[in-house]
Amino acid sequence: MPTREPRNKAAGKRPIDVDALWAVKRVGDPTISPDGRLACAAVTTYSSSKDAGAAELWLYPTGFGDRASIAKPRRLAAAGTGTRPCFSPDGRHVAFAAKRDDDAEAQLYVIPVDGGEARRVTTVATGVESIKWFPDGRRIAFVSWVWPDLKGDAAQAARHKEHKGAKVKAHVTERAEYRYWDHWLTDGREPHVFACDVASGRSTDLLAGTGLALRPWDPDVEHYDIAPDSRELALTFDPESEPGMMHRCDIVVVDLATRRTRNLTQKSGRSDEHPRYSPDGRLIAYNSYDTDRAYNDQGELRVFDRVSNRVRSVHASLDRATTHLGFAPDASAITALVEDRGRVGLWRLPLDGSPPAVLVRGGVVSDYERSRDGSVIVFTRDANAYPPALFAARGDGSDERQLDTHNRALLARHAKGEMREFTVAGADGEDVQVLVTYPPDFDARRKWPLMHSIHGGPHASHHDGWHFRWNTQVFAGQGYVVAAVNYHGSSGFGQAFLETIPGRYGEKEFADVEAATDFLIAQDYIDSSRLVATGGSYGGYMVAYMNGHTDRYKAYVCHAGCYDWMSMMATDGYSFFARELGAWHWDDEERVMRQSPHRYVKNAKTPTLVIHGELDYRVPAAQGLQYFNSLKARDVPARLVYFPDENHWILKPANSKLWYREFFDWLARHAPPASSRAKRAAAPAKRREKTAA
């Protein structure tokens, strides 16, 4: 039971709304100078008139070490569609990949820290992404998607031009997995790691002729690393002749002088990924997943000793997933981001087995980098009450300070609601976490409508974080108490909790949501006649499932929701079905049908807003259309919002603003919010059935 009521923080300010959300300057992943005195990050600002974002690189003094070359943050360069910057090993330059000016594809740029213009280093026809400096400082590694049967950039450029100008746009393939999220993988290209000589701009494909490539599922800097002596490359490699999302991977190293390769983990029987060299070059740390035992295995940390050729586990009993691996300067410990009970922090995991230490607590720490001697850490973190911001701290996590002030004035103009954490008895009486965000003007003596925001995945979780697409502060600002349930199967609560729902999708998650509803109604400030539930992806699956099992909610919003597991065979991720649903539908149709919302649509009564994007290959758009048509055929009130130019997410500012407007109008029509401002904004109960402008 709560020990106190949430405080009223409104103080006459306006709640955060969708316009404020898109006015937020988005601070990206940071890099730190080797001496720890400066940090650099891309800051993206979105324009409503251009309906797009543009990034700038900013430099920030960390306040640690000797006096930095700048006294306060300053703009370093316009980055166009910039990605994460990288400081050079000598600290004199920052490299970044961006599509600027007349670039047909993103290219590699380098800019001096002390002033001057950015210099384009590459003219690679197939583009540049996921950059990383070689420790020797003379070269920069990057990823580019190439045709492995061609040699040289001229041949790549000719093929690239031919493909872009082709009149026939058909996709022809025999691959089992041929598209991913919103793009096709049928043009024959594969991601290779290149090395670019910074002085000359000459780029070399380091994997040409080796038969190796990175996995095609959005490879980034986590999937490869360079040895401290710059002589060896380590990468995550799928050894099968055709890549697959559920395949076991290996850590393979390439001698950059001879191009000889060596598979370090071929006999592990596990999926080994994300290699990272220790500063002394002796060890390679990586994540190792027992995917044969469980598709959703969290994995464990392992280290390969390059001298003894031995492998050992590190903190195998941690029972939490680790990402973004790094090393202490003396290689005595691994640093990693660790998700734990709705928060993501930076942890230190000693190699001698002594207890882990939390260096930086979440919110959600999304990325970090340490100075060469480990004395300074820079990191980005967000929380329910603030968007991603840049911070610095000493190497042990002490003396933390925020480096940027980009959003300080904007946030000061708006009232934010308080978030509180509860534990309720969910399915089978087991504890389930509920994060609740209250309206800024919350008063426990009044009655408020309840909105569930149900997360996707399902093996993901709600965090004490800032979400640009499902923002609980924006939801609460409309006058709803917003509940975010980390139902059974959510990540961050241990392996056993993850494995409680495969083969019985919907059952425990539904019980957990209902338990949270009952708990909050019992607090006496929830109006039980104004309950709504919303969700995207697997959260959309859940509201469709709930619609066939209860009519206690007044409205649902189903965004990109899985509706029919049989026709969901069109998804890019169908390969996990037999593991997660317990069977292929042709082997055990009844078991699969029991978990499919379309099985229960005959019971659906609750008005539903269905939203979908045509470019969504994870939950194909036909899922939303099937659900909408089924509701209409049953005379259940329903409204469709269809985006022909969006994927699984709504990414364009204008589309996002329409999304939020339709979202709130629908809920206000069926369960009016407590805010009089929101009531007035949602007054037009019927909107035109045309394509919205």
Side-chain angles (χ1 to χ4, degrees):
M1 297 293 291
T3 57
R4 60 181 176 83
E5 299 297 345
R7 298 185 301 275
N8 187 322
K9 296 183 178 179
K13 300 177 182 179
R14 294 180 56 192
I16 293 174
D17 57 18
V18 65
D19 290 325
L21 191 66
W22 279 100
V24 167
K25 295 181 184 296
R26 304 190 187 189
V27 179
D29 297 333
T31 183
I32 189 171
S33 61
D35 60 11
R37 296 185 301 164
L38 292 173
C40 181
V43 180
T44 301
T45 303
Y46 282 85
S47 164
S48 295
S49 60
K50 296 181 180 179
D51 201 28
E56 296 178 332
L57 296 185
W58 279 71
L59 281 176
Y60 308 86
T62 64
F64 295 109
D66 297 333
R67 178 179 294 181
S69 57
I70 59 173
K72 60 182 181 179
R74 71 170 174 86
R75 178 182 175 276
L76 180 63
T81 54
T83 57
R84 174 179 173 167
C86 295
F87 263 104
S88 61
D90 62 7
R92 297 171 57 191
H93 295 84
V94 169
F96 61 98
K99 189 174 181 180
R100 307 174 84 206
D101 303 326
D102 59 348
D103 292 335
E105 302 291 340
Q107 299 298 330
L108 176 64
Y109 287 82
V110 171
I111 186 170
V113 172
D114 292 336
E117 294 297 319
R119 175 174 66 92
R120 182 169 61 188
V121 181
T122 62
T123 54
V124 178
T126 49
V128 170
E129 59 186 64
S130 304
I131 67 171
K132 183 178 294 190
W133 283 87
F134 274 75
D136 62 19
R138 295 184 293 106
R139 292 170 291 171
I140 298 174
F142 63 86
V143 174
S144 189
W145 288 73
V146 299
W147 285 274
D149 60 313
L150 301 180
K151 292 183 179 179
D153 192 58
Q156 297 287 342
R159 181 77 62 84
H160 191 261
K161 182 178 180 180
E162 176 186 340
H163 270 252
K164 291 190 72 173
K167 294 181 179 180
V168 177
K169 303 297 183 183
H171 297 279
V172 180
T173 188
E174 294 185 17
R175 291 178 60 159
E177 296 174 17
Y178 48 87
R179 57 185 190 172
Y180 187 64
W181 287 117
D182 63 356
H183 57 276
W184 288 75
L185 301 170
T186 55
D187 63 1
R189 291 199 290 173
E190 58 187 29
H192 282 199
V193 180
F194 282 67
C196 173
D197 180 84
V198 177
S200 68
R202 182 175 180 271
S203 297
T204 304
D205 184 347
L206 301 179
L207 302 184
T210 65
L212 301 176
L214 297 177
R215 304 178 79 202
W217 327 115
D218 289 345
D220 61 22
V221 293
E222 299 300 311
H223 295 96
Y224 77 93
D225 200 23
I226 304 161
D229 61 7
S230 297
R231 295 178 179 177
E232 185 178 271
L233 173 73
L235 64 146
T236 302
F237 173 64
D238 183 343
E240 299 293 331
S241 59
E242 179 183 299
M245 280 188 270
M246 290 187 62
H247 288 175
R248 290 191 317 206
C249 293
D250 294 323
I251 303 299
V252 176
V253 296
V254 182
D255 184 307
L256 296 181
T258 66
R259 300 299 171 90
R260 291 175 181 169
T261 66
R262 182 185 176 200
N263 191 324
L264 304 183
T265 62
Q266 187 173 17
K267 298 180 180 180
S268 73
R270 301 166 66 94
S271 188
D272 302 307
E273 308 176 30
H274 315 131
R276 194 66 66 240
Y277 287 93
S278 61
D280 60 9
R282 180 185 179 100
L283 305 175
I284 298 177
Y286 58 94
N287 295 114
S288 184
Y289 304 94
D290 189 356
T291 51
D292 281 352
R293 190 196 62 79
Y295 156 77
N296 51 30
D297 186 64
Q298 295 178 125
E300 67 180 35
L301 279 176
R302 290 189 172 183
V303 292
F304 175 84
D305 191 311
R306 298 173 72 203
V307 176
S308 68
N309 290 324
R310 293 181 179 177
V311 174
R312 64 186 177 97
S313 297
V314 179
H315 291 277
S317 62
L318 177 62
D319 198 23
R320 292 292 187 271
T322 58
T323 59
H324 292 72
L325 307 183
F327 273 95
D330 61 359
S332 64
I334 294 173
T335 54
L337 298 184
V338 179
E339 181 184 16
D340 181 41
R341 297 190 57 81
R343 293 166 178 87
V344 180
L346 175 60
W347 291 33
R348 184 180 188 275
L349 305 166
L351 295 184
D352 64 5
S354 55
V358 181
L359 300 179
V360 177
R361 297 189 179 278
V364 177
V365 178
S366 55
D367 207 351
Y368 71 96
E369 194 171 283
R370 304 182 71 151
S371 60
R372 182 179 290 131
D373 65 2
S375 64
V376 186
I377 311 169
V378 295
F379 56 94
T380 48
R381 183 177 60 205
D382 59 278
N384 175 273
Y386 60 86
L390 184 62
F391 295 84
R394 298 190 185 278
D396 60 1
S398 64
D399 200 11
E400 179 183 303
R401 73 273 307 265
Q402 184 173 341
L403 303 184
D404 76 285
T405 59
H406 297 295
N407 295 306
R408 181 174 294 175
L410 173 68
L411 294 175
R413 294 195 297 269
H414 294 275
K416 296 182 289 292
E418 183 176 1
M419 189 200 79
R420 296 199 58 207
E421 179 180 342
F422 300 99
T423 300
V424 302
D428 300 332
E430 296 173 341
D431 286 350
V432 170
Q433 182 190 59
V434 185
L435 304 177
V436 181
T437 305
Y438 293 87
D441 58 347
F442 180 78
D443 183 342
R445 295 167 297 184
R446 297 170 56 193
K447 290 289 188 180
W448 300 80
L450 173 66
M451 178 200 299
H452 276 285
S453 177
I454 305 177
H455 74 68
H459 304 299
S461 67
H462 285 293
H463 292 141
D464 173 11
W466 183 275
H467 203 299
F468 281 100
R469 295 182 300 275
W470 291 79
N471 190 280
T472 54
Q473 287 289 345
V474 175
F475 293 165
Q478 289 285 311
Y480 293 92
V481 172
V482 183
V485 180
N486 278 325
Y487 51 72
H488 279 78
S490 297
S491 56
F493 298 85
Q495 187 64 42
F497 197 74
L498 275 173
E499 294 184 40
T500 53
I501 64 171
R504 52 188 302 184
Y505 272 7
E507 298 175 19
K508 291 192 173 186
E509 307 92 299
F510 177 45
D512 295 341
V513 171
E514 290 288 79
T517 298
D518 293 340
F519 171 83
L520 289 167
I521 288 175
Q523 308 312 303
D524 292 332
Y525 48 72
I526 295 298
D527 181 353
S528 61
S529 69
R530 289 186 290 163
L531 309 176
V532 298
T534 70
S537 194
Y538 193 85
Y541 161 86
M542 278 306 305
V543 297
Y545 182 92
M546 291 165 63
N547 204 354
H549 288 80
T550 180
D551 61 358
R552 84 189 294 195
Y553 298 90
K554 298 303 179 184
Y556 292 122
V557 177
C558 176
H559 171 95
C562 312
Y563 173 64
D564 175 0
W565 285 122
M566 296 176 75
S567 62
M568 268 289 287
M569 286 297 294
T571 177
D572 66 341
Y574 71 90
S575 57
F576 79 87
F577 279 12
R579 303 284 295 274
E580 284 289 290
L581 297 175
W584 295 110
H585 68 80
W586 52 82
D587 289 330
D588 192 343
E589 184 173 319
E590 177 57 29
R591 184 172 194 177
V592 173
M593 288 285 285
R594 284 199 304 269
Q595 301 170 76
S596 189
H598 86 282
R599 173 81 171 270
Y600 309 103
V601 74
K602 62 184 177 182
N603 303 321
K605 299 177 182 177
T606 304
T608 300
L609 175 65
V610 178
I611 310 174
H612 226 108
E614 175 61 29
L615 304 179
D616 186 351
Y617 302 154
R618 181 54 51 93
V619 183
Q623 293 290 301
L625 300 181
Q626 283 179 255
Y627 187 33
F628 177 76
N629 291 355
S630 299
L631 293 173
K632 283 298 187 181
R634 289 197 39 75
D635 292 326
V636 177
R639 184 175 178 86
L640 175 68
V641 179
Y642 164 85
F643 293 96
D645 56 344
E646 295 283 9
N647 55 25
H648 198 60
W649 307 281
I650 307 303
L651 302 177
K652 298 179 179 179
N655 286 341
S656 173
K657 291 178 181 181
L658 172 66
W659 187 97
Y660 274 99
R661 185 166 69 245
E662 290 283 348
F663 184 97
F664 289 130
D665 283 1
W666 183 258
L667 297 183
R669 187 192 305 186
H670 300 283
S675 166
S676 59
R677 180 186 295 110
K679 286 181 182 178
R680 289 194 301 271
K686 294 185 178 180
R687 307 186 65 87
R688 293 174 298 171
E689 299 290 341
K690 299 180 180 179
T691 301

PDB file of all heavy atoms in Angstrom, residues 535-551:
ATOM      1  N   GLY A 535      -1.631  -0.091 -26.114  1.00  0.00           N
ATOM      2  CA  GLY A 535      -0.372  -0.803 -26.249  1.00  0.00           C
ATOM      3  C   GLY A 535       0.058  -0.905 -27.687  1.00  0.00           C
ATOM      4  O   GLY A 535      -0.757  -0.796 -28.610  1.00  0.00           O
ATOM      5  N   GLY A 536       1.364  -1.107 -27.889  1.00  0.00           N
ATOM      6  CA  GLY A 536       1.927  -1.250 -29.219  1.00  0.00           C
ATOM      7  C   GLY A 536       2.689  -2.548 -29.358  1.00  0.00           C
ATOM      8  O   GLY A 536       3.290  -3.044 -28.400  1.00  0.00           O
ATOM      9  N   SER A 537       2.665  -3.131 -30.550  1.00  0.00           N
ATOM     10  CA  SER A 537       3.353  -4.371 -30.859  1.00  0.00           C
ATOM     11  C   SER A 537       2.775  -5.486 -29.975  1.00  0.00           C
ATOM     12  O   SER A 537       1.599  -5.792 -30.075  1.00  0.00           O
ATOM     13  CB  SER A 537       4.860  -4.198 -30.668  1.00  0.00           C
ATOM     14  OG  SER A 537       5.579  -5.249 -31.253  1.00  0.00           O
ATOM     15  N   TYR A 538       3.580  -6.077 -29.096  1.00  0.00           N
ATOM     16  CA  TYR A 538       2.993  -7.078 -28.197  1.00  0.00           C
ATOM     17  C   TYR A 538       1.989  -6.431 -27.248  1.00  0.00           C
ATOM     18  O   TYR A 538       1.031  -7.067 -26.816  1.00  0.00           O
ATOM     19  CB  TYR A 538       4.080  -7.795 -27.406  1.00  0.00           C
ATOM     20  CG  TYR A 538       3.567  -9.032 -26.694  1.00  0.00           C
ATOM     21  CD1 TYR A 538       3.493 -10.255 -27.354  1.00  0.00           C
ATOM     22  CD2 TYR A 538       3.148  -8.979 -25.370  1.00  0.00           C
ATOM     23  CE1 TYR A 538       3.020 -11.384 -26.714  1.00  0.00           C
ATOM     24  CE2 TYR A 538       2.678 -10.103 -24.718  1.00  0.00           C
ATOM     25  CZ  TYR A 538       2.616 -11.309 -25.396  1.00  0.00           C
ATOM     26  OH  TYR A 538       2.140 -12.431 -24.759  1.00  0.00           O
ATOM     27  N   GLY A 539       2.183  -5.140 -26.934  1.00  0.00           N
ATOM     28  CA  GLY A 539       1.164  -4.434 -26.158  1.00  0.00           C
ATOM     29  C   GLY A 539      -0.128  -4.314 -26.936  1.00  0.00           C
ATOM     30  O   GLY A 539      -1.228  -4.375 -26.369  1.00  0.00           O
ATOM     31  N   GLY A 540      -0.029  -4.138 -28.283  1.00  0.00           N
ATOM     32  CA  GLY A 540      -1.212  -4.163 -29.130  1.00  0.00           C
ATOM     33  C   GLY A 540      -1.851  -5.533 -29.145  1.00  0.00           C
ATOM     34  O   GLY A 540      -3.080  -5.671 -29.155  1.00  0.00           O
ATOM     35  N   TYR A 541      -1.011  -6.581 -29.178  1.00  0.00           N
ATOM     36  CA  TYR A 541      -1.521  -7.946 -29.031  1.00  0.00           C
ATOM     37  C   TYR A 541      -2.340  -8.073 -27.750  1.00  0.00           C
ATOM     38  O   TYR A 541      -3.433  -8.651 -27.747  1.00  0.00           O
ATOM     39  CB  TYR A 541      -0.352  -8.935 -29.011  1.00  0.00           C
ATOM     40  CG  TYR A 541      -0.682 -10.287 -28.428  1.00  0.00           C
ATOM     41  CD1 TYR A 541      -1.234 -11.285 -29.227  1.00  0.00           C
ATOM     42  CD2 TYR A 541      -0.446 -10.567 -27.088  1.00  0.00           C
ATOM     43  CE1 TYR A 541      -1.542 -12.529 -28.697  1.00  0.00           C
ATOM     44  CE2 TYR A 541      -0.745 -11.798 -26.553  1.00  0.00           C
ATOM     45  CZ  TYR A 541      -1.299 -12.783 -27.348  1.00  0.00           C
ATOM     46  OH  TYR A 541      -1.619 -14.010 -26.813  1.00  0.00           O
ATOM     47  N   MET A 542      -1.802  -7.509 -26.670  1.00  0.00           N
ATOM     48  CA  MET A 542      -2.476  -7.665 -25.379  1.00  0.00           C
ATOM     49  C   MET A 542      -3.842  -6.991 -25.352  1.00  0.00           C
ATOM     50  O   MET A 542      -4.807  -7.556 -24.815  1.00  0.00           O
ATOM     51  CB  MET A 542      -1.590  -7.128 -24.251  1.00  0.00           C
ATOM     52  CG  MET A 542      -0.520  -8.101 -23.779  1.00  0.00           C
ATOM     53  SD  MET A 542      -1.189  -9.710 -23.300  1.00  0.00           S
ATOM     54  CE  MET A 542      -2.403  -9.214 -22.071  1.00  0.00           C
ATOM     55  N   VAL A 543      -3.971  -5.782 -25.911  1.00  0.00           N
ATOM     56  CA  VAL A 543      -5.282  -5.135 -25.858  1.00  0.00           C
ATOM     57  C   VAL A 543      -6.278  -5.863 -26.763  1.00  0.00           C
ATOM     58  O   VAL A 543      -7.479  -5.912 -26.468  1.00  0.00           O
ATOM     59  CB  VAL A 543      -5.212  -3.628 -26.190  1.00  0.00           C
ATOM     60  CG1 VAL A 543      -4.379  -2.895 -25.160  1.00  0.00           C
ATOM     61  CG2 VAL A 543      -4.669  -3.374 -27.588  1.00  0.00           C
ATOM     62  N   ALA A 544      -5.790  -6.457 -27.873  1.00  0.00           N
ATOM     63  CA  ALA A 544      -6.683  -7.260 -28.711  1.00  0.00           C
ATOM     64  C   ALA A 544      -7.105  -8.527 -27.972  1.00  0.00           C
ATOM     65  O   ALA A 544      -8.268  -8.954 -28.041  1.00  0.00           O
ATOM     66  CB  ALA A 544      -5.999  -7.608 -30.028  1.00  0.00           C
ATOM     67  N   TYR A 545      -6.173  -9.125 -27.253  1.00  0.00           N
ATOM     68  CA  TYR A 545      -6.477 -10.309 -26.435  1.00  0.00           C
ATOM     69  C   TYR A 545      -7.469  -9.952 -25.328  1.00  0.00           C
ATOM     70  O   TYR A 545      -8.440 -10.680 -25.077  1.00  0.00           O
ATOM     71  CB  TYR A 545      -5.177 -10.852 -25.847  1.00  0.00           C
ATOM     72  CG  TYR A 545      -5.308 -12.099 -25.007  1.00  0.00           C
ATOM     73  CD1 TYR A 545      -5.165 -13.360 -25.577  1.00  0.00           C
ATOM     74  CD2 TYR A 545      -5.541 -12.022 -23.636  1.00  0.00           C
ATOM     75  CE1 TYR A 545      -5.264 -14.514 -24.804  1.00  0.00           C
ATOM     76  CE2 TYR A 545      -5.643 -13.157 -22.853  1.00  0.00           C
ATOM     77  CZ  TYR A 545      -5.500 -14.405 -23.440  1.00  0.00           C
ATOM     78  OH  TYR A 545      -5.598 -15.540 -22.663  1.00  0.00           O
ATOM     79  N   MET A 546      -7.239  -8.817 -24.670  1.00  0.00           N
ATOM     80  CA  MET A 546      -8.121  -8.390 -23.579  1.00  0.00           C
ATOM     81  C   MET A 546      -9.534  -8.111 -24.072  1.00  0.00           C
ATOM     82  O   MET A 546     -10.514  -8.378 -23.367  1.00  0.00           O
ATOM     83  CB  MET A 546      -7.529  -7.149 -22.895  1.00  0.00           C
ATOM     84  CG  MET A 546      -6.254  -7.433 -22.113  1.00  0.00           C
ATOM     85  SD  MET A 546      -5.323  -5.936 -21.667  1.00  0.00           S
ATOM     86  CE  MET A 546      -6.497  -5.116 -20.593  1.00  0.00           C
ATOM     87  N   ASN A 547      -9.646  -7.594 -25.292  1.00  0.00           N
ATOM     88  CA  ASN A 547     -10.969  -7.266 -25.831  1.00  0.00           C
ATOM     89  C   ASN A 547     -11.836  -8.511 -25.968  1.00  0.00           C
ATOM     90  O   ASN A 547     -13.062  -8.417 -25.945  1.00  0.00           O
ATOM     91  CB  ASN A 547     -10.827  -6.579 -27.191  1.00  0.00           C
ATOM     92  CG  ASN A 547     -12.029  -5.712 -27.534  1.00  0.00           C
ATOM     93  OD1 ASN A 547     -13.031  -5.690 -26.823  1.00  0.00           O
ATOM     94  ND2 ASN A 547     -11.923  -4.993 -28.630  1.00  0.00           N
ATOM     95  N   GLY A 548     -11.224  -9.662 -26.109  1.00  0.00           N
ATOM     96  CA  GLY A 548     -11.985 -10.901 -26.170  1.00  0.00           C
ATOM     97  C   GLY A 548     -12.181 -11.563 -24.836  1.00  0.00           C
ATOM     98  O   GLY A 548     -12.798 -12.642 -24.758  1.00  0.00           O
ATOM     99  N   HIS A 549     -11.669 -10.928 -23.763  1.00  0.00           N
ATOM    100  CA  HIS A 549     -11.745 -11.560 -22.443  1.00  0.00           C
ATOM    101  C   HIS A 549     -12.401 -10.705 -21.366  1.00  0.00           C
ATOM    102  O   HIS A 549     -12.729 -11.217 -20.289  1.00  0.00           O
ATOM    103  CB  HIS A 549     -10.338 -11.950 -21.976  1.00  0.00           C
ATOM    104  CG  HIS A 549      -9.758 -13.115 -22.702  1.00  0.00           C
ATOM    105  ND1 HIS A 549      -9.191 -13.002 -23.954  1.00  0.00           N
ATOM    106  CD2 HIS A 549      -9.678 -14.431 -22.376  1.00  0.00           C
ATOM    107  CE1 HIS A 549      -8.772 -14.201 -24.357  1.00  0.00           C
ATOM    108  NE2 HIS A 549      -9.058 -15.079 -23.422  1.00  0.00           N
ATOM    109  N   THR A 550     -12.572  -9.404 -21.608  1.00  0.00           N
ATOM    110  CA  THR A 550     -13.221  -8.552 -20.612  1.00  0.00           C
ATOM    111  C   THR A 550     -13.823  -7.332 -21.290  1.00  0.00           C
ATOM    112  O   THR A 550     -13.323  -6.884 -22.330  1.00  0.00           O
ATOM    113  CB  THR A 550     -12.214  -8.076 -19.541  1.00  0.00           C
ATOM    114  OG1 THR A 550     -12.889  -7.241 -18.587  1.00  0.00           O
ATOM    115  CG2 THR A 550     -11.072  -7.276 -20.149  1.00  0.00           C
ATOM    116  N   ASP A 551     -14.891  -6.818 -20.692  1.00  0.00           N
ATOM    117  CA  ASP A 551     -15.480  -5.565 -21.193  1.00  0.00           C
ATOM    118  C   ASP A 551     -15.457  -4.488 -20.117  1.00  0.00           C
ATOM    119  O   ASP A 551     -16.212  -3.527 -20.175  1.00  0.00           O
ATOM    120  CB  ASP A 551     -16.905  -5.798 -21.697  1.00  0.00           C
ATOM    121  CG  ASP A 551     -17.843  -6.303 -20.598  1.00  0.00           C
ATOM    122  OD1 ASP A 551     -17.379  -6.504 -19.446  1.00  0.00           O
ATOM    123  OD2 ASP A 551     -19.032  -6.502 -20.892  1.00  0.00           O
TER     124      ASP A 551
END
